Amino acid sequence: MAKTAAIILAAGHGTRMRSGRAKALHELGGMPLVMHVVRAVEKAGLDLPWVVVGYQAERVEETLEGHAEFVRQPEMHGTGDAVLHALSAIPDEVENVVVLYADCPLVPAALISDLIERHRQDQSAATLVTTYVQNPTGYGRIVRDAEGAVEAIVEEKEADAVVRQIQEINTGIGIWRVDGFRQLLAGLPFHGEEKYLTDAVEALRRQGARVTAMVWEDPAQVMGINTRRELAEAEARLRMDTLNRLFAAGVTIVDPATTYIDADVEIGQDTVIYPMTFIRGRTKIGRECHIGPMSTVVSSRIADGVVVEQSVIEQSVIASTARVGPFSHLRAGTYLDRDVKIGNFVELKNTRVGIGSKAGHHSYLGDATIGGRVNIGAGTVIVNFDGTAKHPTFIGDEAFIGCNSNLVAPIEVGPGAYVAAGSTLTQNVPGDALAIARGRQENKPGWAAQRRSKGRDA
């Protein structure tokens, strides 16, 4: 079978987005637009795509490192010029190139596969992807000959009244035979400072070559994103596709209208997602969990049977049957072992908590290793930062940390040790010891009554 390569055009600025960021790097479903297209190419079974970069080239290359080969378009001279630059880099054994666009992120892998097969069957010089829309205003119209081959792509401003009634439009996506394509692109005319890839259709027809089209029935999957509104519309479409995938996998989503789940998220069977919940990044959630309401989970791994209620979980790992919340915050690097209970208003950062330990109320635990079956009393603060560096804390198995305790790191509390409520510790505590680090209480009988009496006399 003829070798086929993919070219993704990602050099443009995207001025209609009104952004300082390259359009290819705007996010959709938790990943850059261009990454969606790269993944579609991968799923279609092709080798690494050739991505044409220009504006903010370094940032695009960094984002796609390991997922693509790169060709730089030094100056923005249009789609025809961009493809010509790509053809100068692809291997000689490539016989066909699929041209895709970074701002067309909903294109499915099935479209690419079907396009390649259709092109092979028709043996055309080019096979374009078209679609039908109710309102074609602004799009190039597909004009076919009597045999159904593509005669021309007529842009809106050049279309007469008859052509403007055509509802079949050009998506820009297509597959082109490489033989002779370089020479053809090099000879395309300039429109101002740009060469249009669409002009290649007319050029091929003048040579007597055959150009065919494959109609894609779902217009939303092949529409480009040029504005913030179109980005939001694509986000809504992708979000519903993601929710439908999860429904089919046995996940309960109580209120789809207020649940936002990124495209890469995986959720196990019989998990329930409650309203106003955001699950982002490369998060993986196990079976029979309860997440939400009003929770945010970012790039974290959550095992089976976990409950997260009205809390924020970021880049953390939670083992089975743990419970978090309400109103707690797990920051990056947190690991909760099984059966851990983190209650309300507890913040953890870069902290490992052992099996069955509990931190029920209003505590900060940072840069700590906490053993199993430890009790962290309300108001406990691990004082891990000295203004310059962070320091570790180690708490052994079955230790008991009393309420309103400050553990000034670096410090170690041994297994089975007790810390008296209200203590501020600056020294290690041996195992099974009781640490008391607070001022001695002194009661002065009658002092308050005397003070009130003096106040009345005054």
Side-chain angles (χ1 to χ4, degrees):
M1 183 179 294
K3 184 172 176 58
T4 300
I7 298 171
I8 301 174
L9 306 187
H13 186 171
T15 54
R16 281 183 283 175
M17 296 290 284
R18 298 190 179 275
S19 173
R21 181 191 305 177
K23 182 164 64 170
L25 297 180
H26 281 264
E27 288 199 351
L28 178 73
M31 72 179 77
L33 297 177
V34 64
M35 183 60 82
H36 287 274
V37 188
V38 168
R39 289 195 174 182
V41 170
E42 293 174 351
K43 291 178 181 177
L46 300 181
D47 292 338
L48 294 182
W50 293 86
V51 178
V52 182
V53 295
Y55 182 68
Q56 296 184 347
E58 294 83 1
R59 292 181 62 183
V60 177
E61 290 172 357
E62 181 181 358
T63 298
L64 297 179
E65 184 177 2
H67 295 277
E69 306 285 355
F70 301 101
V71 179
R72 292 204 177 186
Q73 185 183 16
E75 298 179 355
M76 302 297 102
H77 288 316
T79 53
D81 180 69
V83 175
L84 181 59
H85 275 82
L87 290 174
S88 67
I90 65 174
D92 292 337
E93 63 267 22
V94 172
E95 298 181 32
N96 297 292
V97 289
V98 178
V99 177
L100 302 157
Y101 293 82
D103 63 358
C104 189
L106 299 182
V107 57
L111 180 150
I112 299 173
S113 300
D114 290 354
L115 177 62
I116 294 171
E117 178 61 22
R118 176 68 175 271
H119 185 68
R120 185 189 66 80
Q121 292 176 355
D122 288 348
Q123 297 184 341
S124 301
T127 306
L128 310 178
V129 176
T130 69
T131 192
Y132 284 87
V133 294
Q134 290 295 320
N135 181 9
T137 302
Y139 293 102
R141 310 303 206 278
I142 300 297
V143 178
R144 295 176 180 261
D145 63 18
E147 297 178 354
V150 176
E151 184 72 30
I153 300 173
V154 181
E155 299 300 333
E156 172 89 13
K157 62 183 179 181
E158 299 172 352
D160 59 25
V162 174
V163 171
R164 287 182 180 177
Q165 296 302 312
I166 297 174
Q167 292 181 304
E168 185 182 10
I169 64 168
N170 175 44
T171 68
I173 300 169
I175 183 169
W176 306 75
R177 187 187 302 149
V178 171
D179 184 31
F181 198 29
R182 292 181 179 89
Q183 295 80 0
L184 185 145
L185 290 175
L188 291 180
F190 276 92
H191 299 263
E193 296 184 354
E194 295 189 353
K195 288 186 176 184
Y196 298 157
L197 181 60
T198 51
D199 286 344
V201 173
E202 184 179 352
L204 286 172
R205 294 291 290 171
R206 285 199 302 267
Q207 295 175 358
R210 176 177 170 81
V211 178
T212 55
M214 182 184 80
V215 178
W216 195 252
E217 294 184 357
D218 188 346
Q221 292 183 325
V222 291
M223 290 294 99
I225 294 175
N226 296 301
T227 66
R228 303 278 185 165
R229 176 177 292 278
E230 290 171 348
L231 181 63
E233 291 170 352
E235 182 76 44
R237 169 61 186 263
L238 180 61
R239 183 166 68 92
M240 189 50 60
D241 288 347
T242 300
L243 296 182
N244 286 334
R245 168 175 63 83
L246 295 172
F247 288 141
V251 178
T252 294
I253 300 170
V254 175
D255 184 10
T258 62
T259 304
Y260 298 81
I261 302 178
D262 281 352
D264 269 348
V265 171
E266 299 178 37
I267 303 177
Q269 190 177 49
D270 292 322
T271 285
V272 180
I273 309 297
Y274 293 95
M276 294 303 299
T277 292
F278 298 75
I279 306 177
R280 300 167 49 198
R282 299 183 70 88
T283 294
K284 185 173 182 179
I285 299 173
R287 301 163 64 97
E288 298 180 353
C289 296
H290 290 256
I291 310 298
M294 293 182 286
S295 294
T296 298
V297 182
V298 182
S299 296
S300 297
R301 297 180 68 86
I302 297 176
D304 297 343
V306 170
V307 175
V308 175
E309 182 181 1
Q310 292 171 285
S311 294
V312 176
I313 314 295
E314 300 175 292
Q315 299 170 24
S316 297
V317 177
I318 305 177
S320 60
T321 61
R323 186 180 186 100
V324 178
F327 310 118
S328 287
H329 187 183
L330 274 58
R331 293 165 55 193
T334 295
Y335 174 85
L336 306 184
D337 214 326
R338 66 180 187 272
D339 296 325
V340 167
K341 291 182 173 56
I342 301 298
N344 52 297
F345 301 103
V346 179
E347 180 179 354
L348 299 94
K349 188 270 297 182
N350 192 32
T351 290
R352 186 180 184 93
V353 183
I355 297 171
S357 291
K358 301 176 182 179
H361 325 275
H362 300 83
S363 296
Y364 171 71
L365 311 174
D367 298 297
T369 301
I370 300 171
R373 299 169 301 283
V374 172
N375 183 83
I376 304 293
T380 296
V381 174
I382 291 180
V383 187
N384 60 325
F385 186 47
D386 64 7
T388 302
K390 302 291 180 68
H391 299 281
T393 293
F394 299 91
I395 301 175
D397 293 344
E398 299 181 345
F400 184 97
I401 311 300
C403 295
N404 291 325
S405 295
N406 297 309
L407 309 184
V408 182
I411 195 168
E412 182 173 348
V413 178
Y418 269 63
V419 175
S423 293
T424 296
L425 302 186
T426 58
Q427 301 177 31
N428 292 342
V429 181
D432 294 321
L434 169 63
I436 305 173
R438 60 193 184 205
R440 183 180 298 276
Q441 181 173 329
E442 179 182 356
N443 295 334
K444 296 184 177 181
W447 182 90
Q450 292 175 15
R451 184 177 186 277
R452 288 191 295 271
S453 177
K454 290 179 181 180
R456 288 194 295 269
D457 292 344

